[in-house]
Amino acid sequence: MGSTTENSAFRVTRNPWDRRRVPGGSSGGSAAAVAQHQCIAALGSDTGGSIRQPASFCGVVGLKPTFGLLSRHGLMSYASSFDCIGPVTSSVEDAAIVLSVMSTPAQQIDSTMQMALSSLYHEHLPDIERMRTWPLLGRRFAIVKETIGPGVDISVVDCIVTAARDIEKLGGVVDVISCPSFHLGLPAYYILAVSEASSNLARYDNIRFGAADSSRSEDFGDEVKRRILMGSYALSAGHSDSYYKRAQEVFITEQQPSFPQHDFVQCLGSQYG
């Protein structure tokens, strides 16, 4: 858990571009391995950015698929309402190829997607050599104003602005829009995530799951223990209405902004540069 890999049971991962820096997390190991060309592709799990953020830090492509598209069979559950498996690769084409393989019917052990999918995603990518001068002509992009406001590193804002200018040069239209309730998303996410984590990880009691000759305190790291305790508090009698149920209301009613006039939303990978 976390955004640095410092809480990993497999020791700390360093950013291959600068070993003094973190690779992001929690799938920082996957992103670092791909960035260092140790493998063509790797898998990561994304709950609140754990594929996308390390991909951004390490300069690779990280894809969080639509929730329910891919099976999570074999994943140790953290927050079931958010958990997704996705590929980390060095190119968009490789990500599409891996996604095509992972989304075949034979791989869908517990996927919620029941419809037949045209799963050869890489076949829909345009040929770069045949792309027109303005490949984004007619496409509209949205930047949520609250994501580039106070608290965001100025270097990150500069990158967002530069990317927006590049999009416009390629024919796209970029609009800055406002989502006043956006600031409620992070606290709501944390309450829901730690609450579900405390429930999901309760099975590792060394009776049903876990080593019989050890204790829960030995099997879980400090960060995991902290999140279990916070989740247990949020779900406890007398507090569940104030925290967990309120967070659910925020997530369902206020954190589902629709952008009917836009094709894409341009977001930052992290508020820090």
Side-chain angles (χ1 to χ4, degrees):
M1 296 181 181
S3 56
T4 63
T5 74
E6 292 173 316
N7 301 305
S8 172
F10 300 98
R11 300 183 183 180
V12 177
T13 302
R14 302 295 181 186
N15 192 309
W17 297 102
D18 185 346
R19 295 178 63 84
R20 297 170 300 173
R21 299 177 182 271
V22 299
S26 58
S27 301
S30 298
V34 173
Q36 204 166 21
H37 302 294
Q38 296 180 353
C39 55
I40 297 175
L43 298 183
S45 59
D46 195 308
T47 305
S50 291
I51 290 176
R52 295 158 290 172
Q53 188 237 35
S56 175
F57 280 19
C58 293
V60 294
V61 176
L63 174 63
K64 177 185 181 293
T66 300
F67 184 83
L69 175 63
L70 301 180
S71 171
R72 296 184 299 196
H73 184 73
L75 173 69
M76 182 180 291
S77 297
Y78 171 33
S80 302
S81 296
F82 303 94
D83 290 342
C84 292
I85 295 293
V88 180
T89 62
S90 57
S91 71
V92 172
E93 183 177 14
D94 286 350
I97 292 172
V98 175
L99 183 63
S100 298
V101 174
M102 295 177 67
S103 60
T104 56
Q107 304 295 332
Q108 301 311 303
I109 298 174
D110 60 355
S111 171
T112 58
M113 289 285 192
Q114 300 298 326
M115 65 192 75
L117 298 173
S118 176
S119 53
L120 298 180
Y121 296 100
H122 55 285
E123 293 185 352
H124 298 284
L125 295 177
D127 187 342
I128 295 179
E129 296 180 356
R130 297 181 180 179
M131 290 179 71
R132 55 189 178 182
T133 307
W134 296 286
L136 298 179
L137 189 64
R139 300 291 188 179
R140 299 186 68 91
F141 292 73
I143 297 177
V144 180
K145 181 175 65 176
E146 286 74 14
T147 65
I148 55 175
V152 181
D153 194 295
I154 188 62
S155 63
V156 175
V157 176
D158 289 342
C159 288
I160 293 292
V161 173
T162 300
R165 289 172 180 166
D166 290 339
I167 289 171
E168 291 175 334
K169 289 178 182 178
L170 295 173
V173 176
V174 180
D175 300 319
V176 178
I177 62 175
S178 179
C179 180
S181 63
F182 192 87
H183 70 284
L184 298 174
L186 186 61
Y189 160 75
Y190 271 118
I191 291 172
L192 294 173
V194 298
S195 298
E196 293 186 18
S198 69
S199 177
N200 280 325
L201 297 178
R203 72 191 71 176
Y204 297 97
D205 54 6
N206 303 108
I207 298 175
R208 293 168 292 178
F209 295 94
D213 57 349
S214 64
S215 64
R216 284 169 58 86
S217 62
E218 295 173 343
D219 292 340
F220 292 138
D222 291 340
E223 180 62 23
V224 176
K225 293 176 187 175
R226 277 192 289 269
R227 298 196 186 196
I228 290 175
L229 289 173
M230 288 189 292
S232 298
Y233 178 82
L235 291 174
S236 62
H239 295 102
S240 61
D241 287 345
S242 301
Y243 293 101
Y244 184 71
K245 290 185 179 179
R246 175 57 181 146
Q248 281 186 315
E249 293 172 359
V250 169
F251 181 72
I252 293 172
T253 63
E254 299 185 48
Q255 288 305 123
Q256 300 290 337
S258 58
F259 308 103
Q261 307 300 323
H262 297 88
D263 302 293
F264 305 95
V265 179
Q266 183 185 347
C267 296
L268 48 96
S270 172
Q271 69 266 41
Y272 304 111

